[in-house]
């Protein structure tokens, strides 16, 4: 078995965000990979107006999923669930989807259709440049309040400006309708309120709750490892 981790919006270096859990999985003989998302400027093309968007993210993740026929658990965090919904569709090696504080869109739905109306206060949107990002001064208190100081200190270096067009681009497939899925509700999440997560989770095959913030794979890595190994 292998794990493919798809990170959320406005960050880069998925392997860093996933590293705490990846190390624990590797101790159990399970390897993992975190694809780069073009819309976050991770593949050389700058994010923004005319830059890469959801289709390019889908293609990048899909290529990684097709690299091998080894049984695969896909872990999608936040925006990653939008990408995975299309990227994992029709790939026989994908045996389970784990959605962490994430989304299970129907065909034709986009990220903008989830959540409260209007932009979140922790986001900085540049309409002229066509990008959005997390306000650094709000990063720790919103998303990492339950992480240790080392993670909190390093996290800002792994933020990214992302093409804002990803928020309105609809998915063309819904892998969660065919692949077994589990939704992990993060009960202390200050970015995506737990009440909204529980609403989104209704589409998943099973639901688990964890007393953690938005990034449990950093703050509660052992619990996430155990959940992945049990899928």
């Amino acid at each position: 078995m292998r794990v493919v981790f798809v990170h959320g919006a406005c960050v880069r270096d998925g392997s860093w965000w996933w590293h705490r859990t990846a190390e624990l999985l590797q101790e159990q003989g399970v390897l993992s990979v975190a694809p780069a998302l073009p819309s976050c400027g991770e593949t050389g093309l700058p994010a923004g107006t005319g830059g890469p968007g959801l289709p390019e993210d889908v293609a990048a993740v899909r290529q990684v999923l097709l690299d091998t026929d080894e049984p695969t658990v896909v872990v999608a965090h936040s925006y990653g669930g939008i990408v995975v919904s299309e990227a994992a569709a029709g790939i026989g090696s994908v045996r389970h989807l784990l959605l962490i504080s994430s989304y299970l869109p129907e065909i034709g739905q986009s990220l903008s259709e989830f959540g409260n109306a209007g932009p979140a206060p922790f986001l900085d949107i540049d309409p002229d440049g066509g990008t959005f990002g997390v306000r650094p001064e709000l990063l720790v208190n919103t998303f990492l309040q339950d992480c240790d100081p080392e993670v909190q200190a390093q996290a800002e270096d792994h933020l990214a400006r992302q093409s804002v067009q990803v928020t309105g681009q609809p998915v063309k497939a819904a892998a969660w309708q065919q692949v077994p899925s589990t939704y992990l509700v993060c009960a202390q999440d200050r970015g995506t309120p737990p009440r909204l997560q529980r609403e989104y989770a209704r589409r998943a095959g099973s639901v688990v709750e964890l007393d953690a913030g938005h990034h449990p794979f950093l703050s509660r890595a052992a619990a996430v490892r155990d959940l992945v190994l049990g899928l």
Side-chain angles (χ1 to χ4, degrees):
M1 175 181 113
R2 69 165 179 161
V3 175
V4 174
F5 173 75
V6 182
H7 69 68
C10 306
V11 302
R12 59 180 177 84
D13 305 329
S15 59
W16 180 83
W17 295 94
W18 181 244
H19 77 278
R20 291 281 177 90
T21 300
E23 291 166 1
L24 297 181
L25 286 170
Q26 188 168 356
E27 291 174 0
Q28 301 299 315
V30 177
L31 298 181
S32 54
V33 62
L37 298 186
S39 74
C40 292
E42 293 186 275
T43 57
L45 294 174
T49 303
L54 177 61
E56 289 78 13
D57 290 349
V58 168
V61 172
R62 192 169 180 84
Q63 182 58 57
V64 171
L65 294 176
L66 291 169
D67 280 346
T68 175
D69 58 3
E70 185 176 8
T72 300
V73 170
V74 181
V75 179
H77 179 235
S78 196
Y79 162 74
I82 301 292
V83 180
V84 164
S85 181
E86 185 172 339
I91 299 180
S93 59
V94 176
R95 77 179 200 188
H96 208 103
L97 305 177
L98 174 59
L99 291 304
I100 300 178
S101 189
S102 191
Y103 314 97
L104 296 88
E106 299 275 7
I107 295 172
Q109 279 193 302
S110 65
L111 179 63
S112 63
E113 295 179 50
F114 294 88
N116 298 316
F122 51 77
L123 293 178
D124 170 53
I125 300 173
D126 175 10
D128 294 330
T131 65
F132 72 122
V134 173
R135 297 181 184 276
E137 68 274 16
L138 300 180
L139 173 64
V140 170
N141 190 54
T142 305
F143 296 108
L144 300 162
Q145 80 278 6
D146 61 334
C147 292
D148 63 52
E150 180 182 8
V151 165
Q152 292 176 344
Q154 295 175 1
E156 186 175 342
D157 291 336
H158 301 277
L159 292 179
R161 302 292 300 185
Q162 185 170 6
S163 299
V164 75
Q165 63 204 31
V166 301
T167 64
Q169 293 174 314
V171 301
K172 299 177 181 178
W176 56 270
Q177 294 178 344
Q178 290 82 37
V179 181
S181 61
T182 298
Y183 194 106
L184 175 57
V185 173
C186 300
Q188 299 301 320
D189 195 334
R190 297 174 181 173
T192 305
R195 62 176 180 81
L196 290 179
Q197 294 179 59
R198 295 181 185 110
E199 179 181 327
Y200 306 153
R202 293 174 184 172
R203 291 177 175 175
S206 61
V207 181
V208 178
E209 290 212 18
L210 187 63
D211 191 31
H214 193 64
H215 296 86
F217 35 86
L218 286 170
S219 64
R220 299 286 304 279
V224 175
R225 173 205 58 194
D226 292 345
L227 177 57
V228 170
L229 292 177
L231 296 177

